[in-house]
Amino acid sequence: MGILETIRLALDGIWLNKVRSFLTMLGIIIGTATIILVVAVGVGSKQSVDNQFSQMSVTTIYVMASNTGSPIPTKLSSKDVAVIKENCPSVAAVAPQISGKAAVSAGSNTESVTVLGVTEDYQSLTNLKFSSGSFLTQESVTTKEKIAVLGADIAETLFGAGPGEIVGQTLNINNKKFTVGGVIERKGETLGNTSIDDGVFIPYTTAQSYILGTTVTPRLTVQAKDLASVKPALSEIAAALREAHKLRPNMADDFRVMDAGSKVGAAQETARTMSVLLIAIATIVLLVGGIGIMNVMLVSVRERTKEIGTRRALGARKKDVLRQFLFEAIGISMFGGVLGVGLGEAVIPLLKYLEIETVRSMQGLVIAFAFSGIVGVFFGFYPAKKAADSNPIEALRYE
Amino acid sequence: MNENIVQLEHIHKEFSMGKNTVQILKDVNTSIRRGEFVAIMGASGSGKSTLLNIIGCLDKPTEGTYFLDGQRINDLNDDELARIRNRKLGFIFQSFNLLPYYTAQKNVEVSLAYQNRKDRSLIAKGLLERVGLGHRLNHKPAEMSGGEKQRIAIARALSTNPDLLLADEPTGALDSKSGIQVMGLFKELHQEGKTIIMVTHDWEIGEQAERIIMFKDGRIEYGDTGNHSLSPRWNLAQ
Ligand SMILES: Nc1ncnc2c1ncn2[C@@H]1O[C@H](COP(=O)(O)OP(=O)(O)OP(=O)(O)O)[C@@H](O)[C@H]1O
Ligand SMILES: [Mg+2]
């Protein structure tokens, strides 16, 4: 019997036992749907990590106070900006930043918002673009001007109006009157735990004098000259700060230095770990589905012993019987694969409601189909072999 | 073409049952000529089905030589045996052995499907007409009587136009009226030149064959040569 003919025979077998075939498929359906989701979530989270850090230059370095609970209070301050600028040849730019919560109100809206005190360099260091207006100037920093630049989301929340209408309006921060100088284009990105879109940016000096006080430890954003200077910059910064803070050799750093590159790497690592975990789950589900197929096929072979004997008497070769049952298993598995892919694709949009990033991909489809086929071959072979090797006389005598 | 379609020489068959081996066939010698209609009879357990399975290339003798249509069967491999069963032999079973989920027509097509024949639905329809079931092509076995099922099985056995029909108790599960119908078909086929070997318990059925081979304890008691001047009844009287 030819292959096509045998495939038809196998499809007949699946179709004539619709209900059983479908129940057998369930494991495969769930398995392939899981694969589709896994790949969608995996690709999605990788992409969101990439997006999150795409605008962050890998040459960016952060200097922060050491973790709370360290034995000595940090001496990190805005003076260190000058220290780094003078002592670190691998560094191109440095900008300080302090942040804290403050009550911000415009009209009748009041919000508790993260207020960031920054200098004019902050714009170029974080690649800010403006929908309207412009960023703080050096002059506004030196004159402690009461001017605020708003993230896209907070601007909308406070004013409920388009960016063009907001510039020039006034708002109150901790009951001090500020003028809006600009609205930043939506970034959709977070920096640490602060989203730029939710931030209110005011001059560093203004923040120290009127809003946050001088006791808040700043965070420094440092730009290395190029990728190759990141490493030397890290040690230069550490050395310069240790000297400025007068730390003895046996004392620990009272600050932390972190480069964006390692942050990106850590996030990608997390995303990858998640993918691996999900793939492991999908594999287990498929394995269980495959064992289900093997079980049902074994029962089916037993039930159809007489059919097998009859077919052998009528001229079926062992390989014809083997193929018939193997194709049946593969068919069940592949149909399950198709339905599973459909189910997975149907569930993907639902994940959006759970705010899980997903991306549809060809990759997922191919993996899902390949897996379902392989499962069919692997778990269908043993029952099919058993069918082919059954003794035709005993099979004919079987009642 | 060989005059003897079946030639059995010193056929022995043993089955091992745990440590012991039981001898079921003990030196069976006979030949069946092309076009003959032979009934194999004998007590239950005497080895009739075992012999028919060997003739049907479903089983191999432990010892002895079997020629089918002049071809030595002993040396053939599994695939070659399957091919011979498919092309040269037609099987009719006591319990019909139809595939339950196929229609009458599909059942008749099964052997032809193993030959990849494209004209099989035409052949199947023609044969079902011939056995008087032209109006029931699309019925499944469960919807049919025993006699009808056996006629489907006969149509199936004829589908590949084989030289030799092998029937193990073809009327064993049928009422007498259906049995007569089936025997009518066998006689027709015999007249058309088919060779038929039929195992039966029933004397009334066996007597309708040209020759009776009487089996006892794995040996042919009588009837091992086709002496056509002698009727089965004469043989019986011996
Ligand atoms: N595979 C086997 N293994 C062991 N013994 C077997 C095997 N096949 C048949 N036998 C034994 O061989 C003997 C003959 O069996 P066979 O089926 O040929 O008898 P039979 O003449 O057809 O009987 P019946 O008229 O009841 O059908 C029986 O005793 C049976 O138990
Ligand atoms: Mg028998």
Short mmCIF file of all heavy atoms in Angstrom, two decimals, chain A residues 1-2 5 8-9 12 16 304 306-307 310-320 324 392-393 396, chain B residues 53 58-59 78-79 82 85-86 91 93 95 97 99 101-102 106 110-111 113-114 116 118 120 140 156:
data_model
loop_
_atom_site.label_atom_id
_atom_site.label_comp_id
_atom_site.label_asym_id
_atom_site.label_seq_id
_atom_site.Cartn_x
_atom_site.Cartn_y
_atom_site.Cartn_z
N MET A 1 0.86 -1.20 0.00
CA MET A 1 0.00 0.00 0.00
C MET A 1 0.88 1.25 0.00
O MET A 1 1.87 1.32 0.72
CB MET A 1 -0.88 -0.01 1.25
CG MET A 1 -1.91 1.10 1.24
SD MET A 1 -2.99 1.06 2.69
CE MET A 1 -4.25 -0.06 2.15
N GLY A 2 0.49 2.19 -0.81
CA GLY A 2 1.29 3.41 -0.92
C GLY A 2 1.13 4.28 0.32
O GLY A 2 0.22 4.10 1.10
N GLU A 5 -2.10 6.37 0.41
CA GLU A 5 -3.21 5.47 0.73
C GLU A 5 -3.23 5.18 2.24
O GLU A 5 -4.28 5.20 2.88
CB GLU A 5 -3.00 4.17 -0.05
CG GLU A 5 -4.22 3.33 -0.22
CD GLU A 5 -5.20 3.95 -1.19
OE1 GLU A 5 -4.89 4.05 -2.40
OE2 GLU A 5 -6.27 4.33 -0.72
N ARG A 8 -4.46 8.08 4.20
CA ARG A 8 -5.92 8.13 4.16
C ARG A 8 -6.54 7.17 5.15
O ARG A 8 -7.50 7.47 5.84
CB ARG A 8 -6.43 7.82 2.75
CG ARG A 8 -6.81 9.07 1.99
CD ARG A 8 -7.33 8.76 0.61
NE ARG A 8 -8.50 7.89 0.60
CZ ARG A 8 -9.06 7.43 -0.52
NH1 ARG A 8 -8.56 7.77 -1.68
NH2 ARG A 8 -10.11 6.66 -0.47
N LEU A 9 -5.94 5.98 5.20
CA LEU A 9 -6.40 4.95 6.12
C LEU A 9 -6.30 5.44 7.56
O LEU A 9 -7.22 5.27 8.37
CB LEU A 9 -5.52 3.71 5.92
CG LEU A 9 -6.03 2.37 6.39
CD1 LEU A 9 -7.34 2.05 5.72
CD2 LEU A 9 -5.00 1.30 6.06
N ASP A 12 -8.87 8.02 8.26
CA ASP A 12 -10.13 7.30 8.48
C ASP A 12 -10.22 6.87 9.94
O ASP A 12 -11.24 7.05 10.59
CB ASP A 12 -10.19 6.03 7.61
CG ASP A 12 -10.77 6.33 6.23
OD1 ASP A 12 -11.15 7.49 6.00
OD2 ASP A 12 -10.82 5.39 5.40
N LEU A 16 -13.10 8.04 12.35
CA LEU A 16 -14.12 7.08 12.77
C LEU A 16 -14.21 6.98 14.28
O LEU A 16 -15.16 6.45 14.83
CB LEU A 16 -13.84 5.71 12.15
CG LEU A 16 -14.04 5.69 10.63
CD1 LEU A 16 -13.39 4.47 10.01
CD2 LEU A 16 -15.51 5.74 10.28
N ARG A 304 -8.31 -3.45 18.32
CA ARG A 304 -8.41 -3.72 16.89
C ARG A 304 -7.54 -4.90 16.47
O ARG A 304 -7.20 -5.04 15.30
CB ARG A 304 -8.02 -2.45 16.13
CG ARG A 304 -9.12 -1.40 16.25
CD ARG A 304 -8.60 -0.01 16.03
NE ARG A 304 -8.28 0.25 14.65
CZ ARG A 304 -7.71 1.38 14.23
NH1 ARG A 304 -7.40 2.31 15.10
NH2 ARG A 304 -7.44 1.55 12.96
N LYS A 306 -8.32 -7.88 15.98
CA LYS A 306 -8.94 -8.68 14.93
C LYS A 306 -8.82 -7.97 13.58
O LYS A 306 -8.59 -8.61 12.56
CB LYS A 306 -10.42 -8.90 15.28
CG LYS A 306 -11.04 -9.96 14.42
CD LYS A 306 -11.98 -10.81 15.22
CE LYS A 306 -12.34 -12.02 14.40
NZ LYS A 306 -13.20 -12.93 15.14
N GLU A 307 -8.97 -6.65 13.61
CA GLU A 307 -8.80 -5.89 12.37
C GLU A 307 -7.38 -6.10 11.83
O GLU A 307 -7.18 -6.29 10.63
CB GLU A 307 -9.03 -4.40 12.61
CG GLU A 307 -8.60 -3.55 11.40
CD GLU A 307 -8.71 -2.05 11.63
OE1 GLU A 307 -9.40 -1.63 12.57
OE2 GLU A 307 -8.10 -1.30 10.83
N THR A 310 -7.05 -9.48 10.34
CA THR A 310 -7.77 -9.54 9.06
C THR A 310 -6.98 -8.83 7.97
O THR A 310 -6.79 -9.36 6.87
CB THR A 310 -9.15 -8.86 9.21
OG1 THR A 310 -9.84 -9.48 10.29
CG2 THR A 310 -9.95 -9.00 7.94
N ARG A 311 -6.47 -7.66 8.30
CA ARG A 311 -5.71 -6.91 7.29
C ARG A 311 -4.48 -7.70 6.86
O ARG A 311 -4.12 -7.72 5.69
CB ARG A 311 -5.29 -5.55 7.85
CG ARG A 311 -6.44 -4.56 7.94
CD ARG A 311 -5.94 -3.18 8.36
NE ARG A 311 -7.03 -2.22 8.41
CZ ARG A 311 -7.53 -1.60 7.36
NH1 ARG A 311 -7.04 -1.82 6.16
NH2 ARG A 311 -8.53 -0.75 7.50
N ARG A 312 -3.82 -8.34 7.83
CA ARG A 312 -2.64 -9.12 7.50
C ARG A 312 -3.02 -10.28 6.57
O ARG A 312 -2.32 -10.56 5.61
CB ARG A 312 -1.97 -9.64 8.78
CG ARG A 312 -1.43 -8.55 9.65
CD ARG A 312 -0.03 -8.10 9.27
NE ARG A 312 0.98 -8.99 9.83
CZ ARG A 312 1.97 -9.51 9.12
NH1 ARG A 312 2.06 -9.28 7.83
NH2 ARG A 312 2.84 -10.29 9.69
N ALA A 313 -4.15 -10.95 6.87
CA ALA A 313 -4.59 -12.05 6.01
C ALA A 313 -4.89 -11.55 4.60
O ALA A 313 -4.63 -12.22 3.61
CB ALA A 313 -5.83 -12.72 6.60
N LEU A 314 -5.43 -10.33 4.52
CA LEU A 314 -5.83 -9.81 3.22
C LEU A 314 -4.64 -9.23 2.44
O LEU A 314 -4.81 -8.77 1.32
CB LEU A 314 -6.90 -8.73 3.38
CG LEU A 314 -8.21 -9.22 4.01
CD1 LEU A 314 -9.21 -8.08 4.09
CD2 LEU A 314 -8.79 -10.38 3.22
N GLY A 315 -3.47 -9.22 3.05
CA GLY A 315 -2.29 -8.83 2.28
C GLY A 315 -1.51 -7.64 2.81
O GLY A 315 -0.58 -7.18 2.17
N ALA A 316 -1.89 -7.15 4.00
CA ALA A 316 -1.10 -6.04 4.56
C ALA A 316 0.25 -6.57 5.02
O ALA A 316 0.32 -7.62 5.66
CB ALA A 316 -1.84 -5.43 5.74
N ARG A 317 1.30 -5.86 4.66
CA ARG A 317 2.63 -6.21 5.18
C ARG A 317 2.76 -5.63 6.58
O ARG A 317 2.00 -4.75 6.96
CB ARG A 317 3.72 -5.62 4.27
CG ARG A 317 3.73 -6.19 2.86
CD ARG A 317 4.56 -5.32 1.94
NE ARG A 317 4.00 -3.97 1.89
CZ ARG A 317 4.55 -2.95 1.22
NH1 ARG A 317 5.68 -3.12 0.57
NH2 ARG A 317 3.97 -1.78 1.21
N LYS A 318 3.78 -6.12 7.30
CA LYS A 318 4.01 -5.55 8.63
C LYS A 318 4.14 -4.04 8.54
O LYS A 318 3.63 -3.30 9.35
CB LYS A 318 5.28 -6.13 9.24
CG LYS A 318 5.08 -7.49 9.84
CD LYS A 318 6.32 -7.96 10.55
CE LYS A 318 6.05 -9.32 11.18
NZ LYS A 318 7.15 -9.79 12.00
N LYS A 319 4.88 -3.59 7.53
CA LYS A 319 5.12 -2.14 7.46
C LYS A 319 3.86 -1.37 7.15
O LYS A 319 3.74 -0.22 7.54
CB LYS A 319 6.28 -1.79 6.52
CG LYS A 319 6.27 -2.33 5.13
CD LYS A 319 7.41 -1.65 4.36
CE LYS A 319 8.03 -2.44 3.23
NZ LYS A 319 8.75 -3.63 3.55
N ASP A 320 2.92 -2.02 6.44
CA ASP A 320 1.65 -1.33 6.20
C ASP A 320 0.91 -1.09 7.50
O ASP A 320 0.35 -0.02 7.72
CB ASP A 320 0.76 -2.18 5.27
CG ASP A 320 1.31 -2.26 3.85
OD1 ASP A 320 1.84 -1.24 3.37
OD2 ASP A 320 1.22 -3.34 3.24
N GLN A 324 0.17 2.45 9.29
CA GLN A 324 -1.21 2.84 9.56
C GLN A 324 -1.35 3.39 10.98
O GLN A 324 -1.91 4.47 11.18
CB GLN A 324 -2.13 1.63 9.37
CG GLN A 324 -3.59 1.97 9.65
CD GLN A 324 -4.49 0.74 9.58
OE1 GLN A 324 -4.11 -0.30 9.05
NE2 GLN A 324 -5.69 0.87 10.12
N PRO A 392 -0.48 -12.87 13.06
CA PRO A 392 -1.78 -12.76 12.39
C PRO A 392 -2.76 -13.86 12.79
O PRO A 392 -3.96 -13.61 12.87
CB PRO A 392 -1.44 -12.84 10.90
CG PRO A 392 -0.04 -13.33 10.83
CD PRO A 392 0.62 -12.95 12.10
N ILE A 393 -2.26 -15.06 13.06
CA ILE A 393 -3.18 -16.15 13.41
C ILE A 393 -3.82 -15.89 14.77
O ILE A 393 -5.03 -16.00 14.94
CB ILE A 393 -2.44 -17.50 13.46
CG1 ILE A 393 -1.84 -17.78 12.08
CG2 ILE A 393 -3.37 -18.61 13.85
CD1 ILE A 393 -0.82 -18.87 12.10
N LEU A 396 -6.26 -13.17 14.45
CA LEU A 396 -7.52 -13.58 13.84
C LEU A 396 -8.40 -14.34 14.82
O LEU A 396 -9.62 -14.25 14.77
CB LEU A 396 -7.25 -14.48 12.62
CG LEU A 396 -6.89 -13.75 11.34
CD1 LEU A 396 -6.39 -14.72 10.30
CD2 LEU A 396 -8.09 -12.98 10.82
N ASN B 53 -4.23 -22.65 7.85
CA ASN B 53 -3.37 -21.48 8.04
C ASN B 53 -2.05 -21.63 7.30
O ASN B 53 -1.51 -20.65 6.79
CB ASN B 53 -3.10 -21.25 9.53
CG ASN B 53 -4.31 -20.68 10.24
OD1 ASN B 53 -5.17 -20.06 9.62
ND2 ASN B 53 -4.40 -20.93 11.54
N LEU B 58 -0.29 -18.03 6.31
CA LEU B 58 -0.32 -17.24 7.54
C LEU B 58 0.62 -17.85 8.55
O LEU B 58 1.01 -17.21 9.52
CB LEU B 58 -1.74 -17.23 8.11
CG LEU B 58 -2.75 -16.36 7.37
CD1 LEU B 58 -4.17 -16.73 7.78
CD2 LEU B 58 -2.49 -14.89 7.62
N ASP B 59 0.98 -19.11 8.33
CA ASP B 59 1.81 -19.83 9.28
C ASP B 59 2.77 -20.69 8.46
O ASP B 59 2.52 -20.97 7.29
CB ASP B 59 0.92 -20.72 10.15
CG ASP B 59 1.55 -20.97 11.51
OD1 ASP B 59 2.73 -20.59 11.70
OD2 ASP B 59 0.87 -21.56 12.36
N ASP B 78 8.46 -12.40 5.09
CA ASP B 78 7.17 -11.89 5.52
C ASP B 78 6.44 -11.07 4.45
O ASP B 78 5.24 -11.24 4.23
CB ASP B 78 7.41 -11.03 6.75
CG ASP B 78 6.32 -11.21 7.76
OD1 ASP B 78 6.34 -12.23 8.46
OD2 ASP B 78 5.44 -10.33 7.82
N ASP B 79 7.18 -10.17 3.82
CA ASP B 79 6.56 -9.32 2.80
C ASP B 79 6.09 -10.13 1.60
O ASP B 79 5.04 -9.86 1.02
CB ASP B 79 7.55 -8.24 2.34
CG ASP B 79 7.68 -7.12 3.37
OD1 ASP B 79 7.06 -7.24 4.45
OD2 ASP B 79 8.39 -6.14 3.09
N ALA B 82 2.95 -11.86 2.46
CA ALA B 82 1.83 -10.92 2.44
C ALA B 82 1.36 -10.70 1.00
O ALA B 82 0.16 -10.64 0.71
CB ALA B 82 2.24 -9.59 3.08
N ARG B 85 -0.62 -13.73 -0.14
CA ARG B 85 -1.97 -13.72 0.45
C ARG B 85 -2.85 -12.72 -0.28
O ARG B 85 -4.02 -12.96 -0.55
CB ARG B 85 -1.91 -13.34 1.93
CG ARG B 85 -1.27 -14.38 2.82
CD ARG B 85 -1.60 -14.12 4.28
NE ARG B 85 -1.02 -12.89 4.80
CZ ARG B 85 0.18 -12.82 5.36
NH1 ARG B 85 0.94 -13.89 5.47
NH2 ARG B 85 0.63 -11.67 5.82
N ASN B 86 -2.25 -11.59 -0.61
CA ASN B 86 -3.02 -10.52 -1.25
C ASN B 86 -3.41 -10.87 -2.69
O ASN B 86 -4.52 -10.61 -3.12
CB ASN B 86 -2.19 -9.24 -1.22
CG ASN B 86 -2.95 -8.04 -1.72
OD1 ASN B 86 -2.50 -7.33 -2.61
ND2 ASN B 86 -4.13 -7.81 -1.16
N PHE B 91 -9.57 -15.22 1.53
CA PHE B 91 -9.93 -15.83 2.82
C PHE B 91 -11.39 -15.58 3.16
O PHE B 91 -11.90 -14.46 3.01
CB PHE B 91 -9.08 -15.24 3.94
CG PHE B 91 -7.64 -15.67 3.91
CD1 PHE B 91 -6.71 -14.98 3.15
CD2 PHE B 91 -7.23 -16.78 4.64
CE1 PHE B 91 -5.39 -15.37 3.12
CE2 PHE B 91 -5.90 -17.18 4.61
CZ PHE B 91 -4.98 -16.48 3.85
N PHE B 93 -13.84 -16.33 6.56
CA PHE B 93 -13.74 -16.78 7.95
C PHE B 93 -15.10 -17.13 8.52
O PHE B 93 -16.13 -16.62 8.06
CB PHE B 93 -13.14 -15.67 8.81
CG PHE B 93 -11.83 -15.14 8.31
CD1 PHE B 93 -11.79 -14.03 7.47
CD2 PHE B 93 -10.64 -15.75 8.66
CE1 PHE B 93 -10.57 -13.53 7.01
CE2 PHE B 93 -9.42 -15.26 8.20
CZ PHE B 93 -9.39 -14.15 7.37
N SER B 95 -16.23 -16.19 11.42
CA SER B 95 -16.86 -15.02 12.04
C SER B 95 -16.74 -13.78 11.15
O SER B 95 -16.70 -12.66 11.63
CB SER B 95 -16.22 -14.77 13.41
OG SER B 95 -14.81 -14.72 13.26
N ASN B 97 -15.13 -11.54 9.98
CA ASN B 97 -13.99 -10.61 10.07
C ASN B 97 -14.12 -9.40 9.14
O ASN B 97 -13.18 -9.02 8.46
CB ASN B 97 -12.68 -11.32 9.77
CG ASN B 97 -12.27 -12.25 10.88
OD1 ASN B 97 -13.09 -12.55 11.75
ND2 ASN B 97 -11.05 -12.70 10.87
N LEU B 99 -14.56 -5.33 8.80
CA LEU B 99 -14.15 -4.19 9.64
C LEU B 99 -15.41 -3.42 10.00
O LEU B 99 -16.13 -2.94 9.13
CB LEU B 99 -13.16 -3.30 8.88
CG LEU B 99 -11.94 -4.05 8.34
CD1 LEU B 99 -10.93 -3.09 7.74
CD2 LEU B 99 -11.27 -4.89 9.42
N TYR B 101 -16.33 -0.59 11.20
CA TYR B 101 -16.65 0.82 10.93
C TYR B 101 -16.65 1.14 9.44
O TYR B 101 -16.83 2.29 9.06
CB TYR B 101 -15.67 1.73 11.68
CG TYR B 101 -14.25 1.24 11.65
CD1 TYR B 101 -13.46 1.47 10.55
CD2 TYR B 101 -13.73 0.50 12.71
CE1 TYR B 101 -12.17 1.00 10.50
CE2 TYR B 101 -12.44 0.04 12.67
CZ TYR B 101 -11.65 0.28 11.57
OH TYR B 101 -10.38 -0.18 11.51
N TYR B 102 -16.45 0.13 8.61
CA TYR B 102 -16.50 0.36 7.17
C TYR B 102 -17.84 -0.11 6.61
O TYR B 102 -18.44 -1.05 7.11
CB TYR B 102 -15.40 -0.45 6.47
CG TYR B 102 -14.04 0.21 6.44
CD1 TYR B 102 -12.95 -0.48 5.92
CD2 TYR B 102 -13.84 1.51 6.89
CE1 TYR B 102 -11.69 0.08 5.88
CE2 TYR B 102 -12.58 2.08 6.85
CZ TYR B 102 -11.51 1.36 6.34
OH TYR B 102 -10.27 1.93 6.30
N LYS B 106 -16.70 -0.52 1.30
CA LYS B 106 -15.34 -0.26 1.78
C LYS B 106 -14.67 -1.56 2.24
O LYS B 106 -13.47 -1.76 2.05
CB LYS B 106 -15.38 0.73 2.95
CG LYS B 106 -15.50 2.17 2.52
CD LYS B 106 -14.15 2.71 2.06
CE LYS B 106 -13.77 3.95 2.84
NZ LYS B 106 -12.39 4.37 2.53
N VAL B 110 -10.91 -3.48 0.76
CA VAL B 110 -9.70 -3.51 1.58
C VAL B 110 -8.51 -4.18 0.89
O VAL B 110 -7.42 -3.62 0.81
CB VAL B 110 -9.98 -4.17 2.95
CG1 VAL B 110 -8.67 -4.43 3.70
CG2 VAL B 110 -10.88 -3.28 3.79
N SER B 111 -8.73 -5.40 0.36
CA SER B 111 -7.60 -6.12 -0.28
C SER B 111 -7.06 -5.33 -1.46
O SER B 111 -5.85 -5.29 -1.70
CB SER B 111 -8.05 -7.49 -0.77
OG SER B 111 -8.57 -8.23 0.29
N ALA B 113 -7.12 -2.16 -1.83
CA ALA B 113 -6.39 -0.98 -1.38
C ALA B 113 -4.91 -1.32 -1.20
O ALA B 113 -4.05 -0.48 -1.45
CB ALA B 113 -6.98 -0.46 -0.07
N TYR B 114 -4.63 -2.56 -0.77
CA TYR B 114 -3.23 -2.96 -0.60
C TYR B 114 -2.53 -3.16 -1.93
O TYR B 114 -1.33 -3.37 -1.97
CB TYR B 114 -3.13 -4.19 0.30
CG TYR B 114 -3.41 -3.84 1.74
CD1 TYR B 114 -4.62 -4.14 2.34
CD2 TYR B 114 -2.47 -3.13 2.49
CE1 TYR B 114 -4.89 -3.77 3.64
CE2 TYR B 114 -2.73 -2.75 3.78
CZ TYR B 114 -3.94 -3.07 4.36
OH TYR B 114 -4.20 -2.67 5.65
N ASN B 116 -3.15 -0.75 -4.20
CA ASN B 116 -3.29 0.62 -4.73
C ASN B 116 -4.16 0.68 -5.97
O ASN B 116 -3.90 1.47 -6.88
CB ASN B 116 -1.92 1.23 -5.05
CG ASN B 116 -1.04 1.30 -3.82
OD1 ASN B 116 -1.50 1.66 -2.75
ND2 ASN B 116 0.22 0.92 -3.98
N LYS B 118 -6.97 1.74 -8.35
CA LYS B 118 -7.83 2.92 -8.43
C LYS B 118 -9.27 2.53 -8.78
O LYS B 118 -10.20 3.27 -8.49
CB LYS B 118 -7.29 3.87 -9.51
CG LYS B 118 -5.91 4.41 -9.17
CD LYS B 118 -5.97 5.61 -8.22
CE LYS B 118 -4.59 6.06 -7.79
NZ LYS B 118 -4.08 5.29 -6.63
N ARG B 120 -11.07 0.26 -7.55
CA ARG B 120 -11.60 -0.68 -6.56
C ARG B 120 -13.06 -0.47 -6.21
O ARG B 120 -13.77 -1.42 -5.90
CB ARG B 120 -10.73 -0.70 -5.31
CG ARG B 120 -10.54 0.61 -4.59
CD ARG B 120 -9.62 0.33 -3.42
NE ARG B 120 -9.43 1.48 -2.57
CZ ARG B 120 -8.39 2.29 -2.64
NH1 ARG B 120 -7.46 2.08 -3.56
NH2 ARG B 120 -8.29 3.32 -1.83
N LYS B 140 -23.36 -0.72 7.11
CA LYS B 140 -22.25 -1.26 7.89
C LYS B 140 -22.60 -2.67 8.34
O LYS B 140 -23.77 -3.01 8.44
CB LYS B 140 -22.02 -0.35 9.10
CG LYS B 140 -21.64 1.05 8.67
CD LYS B 140 -20.66 1.68 9.62
CE LYS B 140 -20.13 2.97 9.04
NZ LYS B 140 -20.07 4.03 10.05
N ARG B 156 -15.37 -9.89 -0.82
CA ARG B 156 -14.04 -9.40 -0.50
C ARG B 156 -12.97 -10.41 -0.93
O ARG B 156 -11.95 -10.04 -1.50
CB ARG B 156 -13.93 -9.13 1.00
CG ARG B 156 -12.58 -8.61 1.44
CD ARG B 156 -12.54 -8.27 2.91
NE ARG B 156 -12.66 -9.47 3.74
CZ ARG B 156 -12.77 -9.45 5.06
NH1 ARG B 156 -12.78 -8.30 5.72
NH2 ARG B 156 -12.89 -10.57 5.74
#
